[in-house]
Amino acid sequence: MMKTYQYTHLLPVLEHAVTDLEIKNIPVIYDRIEQLRQSILANENGQSAAQIQALNQMLVLYMLQHHADYPREINTLVNVLRQLQRPPV
């Protein structure tokens, strides 16, 4: 289970993602990223944690379905979101 805390450190990555033209062309992913960004800005930590999990699952599924034809920014997002799920060593 993901820890619930303030996720403001994700904002630069999310803001970069929503400006990526390739991601803007995938409305379902763009909308999910924007919802998470708004949730973090509103400091809704519990909702943000659930949205992070859902976004991560959606991104991984998209990557699997579109093997070599997905925006590279998606890979960056997945890596950042995975770091949240791993406990610090």
Side-chain angles (χ1 to χ4, degrees), residues 10-23:
L10 293 177
L11 287 174
V13 176
L14 296 173
E15 288 170 0
H16 186 266
V18 296
T19 61
D20 185 280
L21 294 177
E22 289 182 295
I23 288 181

Side-chain angles (χ1 to χ4, degrees), residues 1 8 10-11 20 26 28 33 39 41-42 45 49-50 53 57 59-60 64 66 82 84 86:
M1 187 74 182
T8 54
L10 293 177
L11 287 174
D20 185 280
I26 310 168
V28 66
I33 293 169
S39 177
L41 288 171
N45 291 329
Q53 279 187 313
Q57 290 171 349
L59 293 174
V60 170
L64 290 172
H66 298 87
R82 280 186 183 155
L84 293 175
R86 293 188 183 133

Side-chain angles (χ1 to χ4, degrees), residues 31-59:
D31 291 345
R32 205 48 90 96
I33 293 169
E34 186 58 30
Q35 287 171 0
L36 174 58
R37 196 173 77 77
Q38 292 301 320
S39 177
I40 291 170
L41 288 171
N43 201 27
E44 298 169 343
N45 291 329
Q47 184 175 350
S48 296
Q51 288 178 342
I52 287 169
Q53 279 187 313
L55 176 60
N56 191 39
Q57 290 171 349
M58 176 185 280
L59 293 174

